[in-house]
Amino acid sequence: MKRVLGRLGHAIFVLWAVASLTFVMFRLMPGDPTLNFLSESFSEEMRAALLTSFGLDRPLPEQYVLYLGSLLRGDLGVSFLQKKPVLDILLDALPNTVALTVTALVIAYAFGIIAGAFLAFARGSVTEGIAIPAALITRAAPEFWLGMILLAWLSFAWGIFPSSGANEAGSEFTSEWARLTSADFLWHLVLPALTLALYLQGLPLLLMRATMLEVLNDEFIVMARMKGLSRWAIVMRHAARNALLPVATAFALGLGSSFGGNVVIETVFSWPGLGRVLVSAVQGADYPLAQGAFILIAAVLVTMNMVADLLYAWLDPRVSVGARR
Amino acid sequence: MRAARATLGFLRSQPFALVGISIYLLFLVLAIFADQIATHDPRQILFSGAYRVARYLPPSATHYLGTTAGGRDIFSQLVHGTRSALTVGVTAAFCVVFLGSLMGLLAGYLGGWVDRIIMRLSDIVLGLPFLPFVLVISALTRPGTVTLVASVALMLWPNTARVIRSQVLSLRERGWVEAARVTGCSPMRIIFVHIAPQVAPLAALYGSIAVGWAILTEASASFLGFGDPAAISWGLMLQDAFANQALSREAWNWFIPPGLCIVALVLAGFLVSRGSEKLLFPKLGD
């Protein structure tokens, strides 16, 4: 319990530092920030009024305190361009990003774990000679390029899948849950999720294979073999359980980093998620929205880093929290 | 001479590393002789016949890979793109190795509050989402190669620093470091003269991975419109193709080659690091 609290305190420290850094990034960049963030067509009075309404006319330390205070209250300000609360815009985009990330990660890890365990047994075979370079190639390929190929092939050339968006234009749903479980949504989800999964599966595959090879040489496996246990029992009950440890940690870390990494895939497939909100906010100089999206993505990353650490300690009692790094 | 022969022998025993280094050399040749190899000026708008822009041409003898929507030669862009990819990759890797090693050496050898500050800093960096950070920095400053390389270095140094630090923690207890200390060497001299050369191979390993990361990041940032708009890069080519309906026109000749080049160059980094991993940690070898 004390460990968990300690790790939680660490995460809160990192979050505070990230929030402060974000504040500094968006406000202390060279040049007049208002020129960056307000359109040139604004009149002088409009600019002054906007500055006052966003609190930008006050001294920086005061702005900083106000900023941290509103962050704690979950108030992320109002979008310059959409004139809506930032939090509402982000919460609208969040389910799409969560659906995409979780679907892709589950596919990638289910495939990677099975294929990796299999490859550990197929050491030195022709299959291994093909599979390992193939896994390395998918990790070396830019995600958006994989997406472009799938898009050109399965959407434009063969016309099987829709090319953009998360839902058919003009479709109405009774609730958000009804939308996320509709056949239309799932059909739109296939290509982006497949692209992300293709990119992500290399890590669990290589990791699973490496740890399986390591575990299979461990003393307790030799012991189990000497006890006369079947090969299957050894793999399932002893080896896989231990080999899964780093893979489970990687899954939690992957969930955190994919949230931010989705930026490009969401752009390729015009997927209305957090990453696209961030990109268009940054491009449109909508600074409260960009700041809010950045902080939300960072918060998910920090939380998942913490979960990964705790998971690792929980699964492997030999490791104490914090000592991992 | 002996070193050269040892390197050759190592490469022969490590086909992975050999392939990786061959790919690097191939792209290096392309980058150096880009002006001679390219068939056209990559920026020039080409015309076919009277005042007609040569757009969306399929591959032919004059245009090996066809032309873009803007009437530019794809093969020439591809060849010239090698320069920016190598520049970004190598400078970013150099910065990551430099910053990471420096931080790792100082934290590991000096310990105490220096160590605590550096480790807290690296915790914070690990809490920043990689690509979004690069995008925000590019948008708030001037987008370009320098910004990109700097933000990649800022984001990637903690991994190198942590590994170097733990290596230094064990090295500092060794006899010869103790001996240097007893003879009155200053901490800085011990760090940079006695310990740094020992961790250099490990730093180089992380550098070869950073090359790939930097190139992928440049491609992603350019694709999203945050690259240097004046440069000729594979990422920008892909963005150009994506924005100009190369996908719906099924202009495979336009968007497949730049991606393949990125894959090859990033893969080369992976292969080299795999090979040198075996050289550095022979026990790990599978």
Side-chain angles (χ1 to χ4, degrees):
Chain A
M1 197 58 216
K2 209 177 150 196
R3 282 173 176 179
V4 176
L5 282 179
R7 191 59 187 77
L8 195 65
H10 179 85
I12 290 171
F13 162 77
V14 173
L15 268 183
W16 164 77
V18 168
S20 306
L21 194 69
T22 312
F23 177 84
V24 172
M25 269 187 343
F26 278 91
R27 252 148 282 210
L28 294 187
M29 281 293 159
D32 180 359
T34 61
L35 284 185
N36 275 333
F37 302 128
L38 301 182
S39 153
E40 279 163 20
S41 60
F42 280 46
S43 72
E44 201 50 39
E45 295 86 65
M46 280 165 79
R47 220 190 97 195
L50 259 176
L51 287 185
T52 318
S53 71
F54 286 108
L56 287 172
D57 56 338
R58 308 197 197 179
L60 275 178
E62 200 185 328
Q63 279 187 41
Y64 176 66
V65 174
L66 284 174
Y67 160 84
L68 282 187
S70 39
L71 264 191
L72 284 178
R73 277 180 277 115
D75 172 10
L76 295 170
V78 177
S79 155
F80 279 160
L81 298 179
Q82 302 188 33
K83 313 275 187 282
K84 279 199 294 188
V86 167
L87 193 64
D88 292 357
I89 300 174
L90 296 180
L91 288 181
D92 277 348
L94 192 64
N96 292 328
T97 294
V98 172
L100 172 59
T101 313
V102 172
T103 312
L105 270 169
V106 168
I107 297 173
Y109 276 70
F111 172 79
I113 288 170
I114 296 169
F118 172 76
L119 284 176
F121 283 100
R123 259 190 81 190
S125 68
V126 184
T127 322
E128 189 193 31
I130 298 167
I132 301 278
L136 284 176
I137 286 173
T138 56
R139 280 187 67 65
E143 295 154 276
F144 63 88
W145 181 66
L146 292 176
M148 283 166 75
I149 294 175
L150 288 181
L151 202 55
W153 172 31
L154 295 175
S155 179
F156 288 115
W158 288 11
I160 303 176
F161 294 103
S163 65
S164 70
N167 285 103
E168 212 49 60
S171 38
E172 302 251 347
F173 296 97
T174 46
S175 70
E176 181 70 3
W177 182 249
R179 184 180 74 82
L180 291 175
T181 48
S182 68
D184 176 44
F185 178 82
L186 296 176
W187 197 238
H188 278 79
L189 182 63
V190 174
L191 278 189
L194 199 64
T195 308
L196 190 55
L198 197 60
Y199 177 74
L200 291 171
Q201 51 76 34
L203 180 66
L205 187 148
L206 295 172
L207 205 57
M208 188 67 192
R209 175 180 165 273
T211 43
M212 275 297 262
L213 286 177
E214 210 172 280
V215 168
L216 285 175
N217 287 328
D218 258 355
E219 281 167 7
F220 71 89
I221 296 291
V222 178
M223 177 72 190
R225 207 176 294 161
M226 276 163 43
K227 283 198 302 197
L229 289 180
S230 74
R231 200 179 155 88
W232 181 248
I234 293 174
V235 171
M236 293 319 288
R237 288 226 302 272
H238 298 277
R241 230 171 104 186
N242 285 277
L244 273 176
L245 185 84
V247 181
T249 317
F251 183 87
L253 288 175
L255 201 56
S257 56
S258 294
F259 250 72
N262 277 349
V263 172
V264 275
I265 288 195
E266 291 186 355
T267 303
V268 173
F269 292 100
S270 310
W271 185 257
L274 273 186
R276 244 171 81 80
V277 168
L278 178 77
V279 170
S280 56
V282 171
Q283 280 166 344
D286 188 344
Y287 119 84
L289 187 56
Q291 181 180 282
F294 184 80
I295 288 178
L296 183 59
I297 292 172
V300 173
L301 177 63
V302 172
T303 312
M304 291 322 292
N305 283 354
M306 178 181 76
V307 170
D309 269 6
L310 293 175
L311 197 65
Y312 197 80
W314 181 60
L315 289 174
D316 187 351
R318 287 170 303 180
V319 186
S320 66
V321 175
R324 192 179 132 235
R325 282 167 173 165
Chain B
M1 197 54 217
R2 250 179 68 199
R5 203 174 304 154
T7 315
L8 270 180
F10 163 69
L11 286 179
R12 208 168 299 153
S13 68
Q14 293 294 337
F16 273 144
L18 185 64
V19 172
I21 288 181
S22 313
I23 297 176
Y24 272 150
L25 287 178
L26 180 73
F27 279 112
L28 195 63
V29 170
L30 276 181
I32 294 172
F33 299 106
D35 291 325
Q36 284 75 37
I37 295 170
T39 49
H40 298 77
D41 179 347
R43 292 173 211 274
Q44 195 193 343
I45 298 171
L46 304 166
F47 291 91
S48 59
Y51 305 108
R52 286 209 13 222
V53 176
R55 50 176 95 244
Y56 298 119
L57 289 187
S60 65
T62 37
H63 305 288
Y64 300 147
L65 292 172
T67 57
T68 70
R72 296 182 175 85
D73 186 61
I74 295 172
F75 175 75
S76 305
Q77 287 194 340
L78 198 69
V79 172
H80 276 271
T82 313
R83 284 188 178 166
S84 77
L86 282 183
T87 314
V88 168
V90 172
T91 44
F94 181 79
C95 294
V96 169
V97 167
F98 176 78
L99 202 60
S101 308
L102 184 70
M103 294 294 202
L105 283 166
L106 291 177
Y109 189 80
L110 297 177
W113 60 270
V114 178
D115 184 29
R116 274 202 294 280
I117 289 179
I118 291 178
M119 284 300 104
R120 281 301 85 82
L121 270 179
S122 74
D123 283 340
I124 295 169
V125 173
L126 291 175
L128 290 168
F130 184 77
L131 197 55
F133 180 80
V134 175
L135 298 186
V136 169
I137 290 288
S138 309
L140 294 179
T141 58
R142 214 156 38 91
T145 313
V146 177
T147 316
L148 203 83
V149 167
S151 42
V152 168
L154 273 178
M155 290 302 289
L156 287 185
W157 69 266
N159 301 321
T160 315
R162 278 160 192 264
V163 178
I164 300 278
R165 173 179 172 270
S166 57
Q167 189 84 348
V168 172
L169 283 178
S170 87
L171 283 174
R172 61 183 278 198
E173 307 302 331
R174 300 275 178 82
W176 43 271
V177 175
E178 189 71 23
R181 226 177 345 240
V182 171
T183 55
C185 275
S186 72
M188 287 302 136
R189 191 179 157 78
I190 295 178
I191 291 176
F192 294 109
V193 177
H194 296 278
I195 295 182
Q198 302 288 320
V199 297
L202 193 63
L205 173 69
Y206 274 76
S208 66
I209 299 172
V211 172
W213 267 104
I215 290 170
L216 283 177
T217 310
E218 190 273 339
S220 302
S222 302
F223 179 74
L224 295 171
F226 295 92
D228 180 356
I232 297 168
S233 80
W234 298 331
L236 276 175
M237 288 176 71
L238 288 171
Q239 193 249 346
D240 194 15
F242 185 71
N244 288 294
Q245 285 84 43
L247 303 189
S248 53
R249 286 172 160 267
E250 292 173 43
W252 303 92
N253 57 304
W254 190 1
F255 66 88
I256 293 289
L260 280 182
C261 286
I262 296 174
V263 171
L265 203 48
V266 175
L267 191 66
F270 287 171
L271 295 177
V272 169
S273 73
R274 253 178 104 87
S276 47
E277 210 165 42
K278 281 183 186 149
L279 181 71
L280 290 171
F281 315 103
K283 268 194 233 157
L284 263 181
D286 32 294

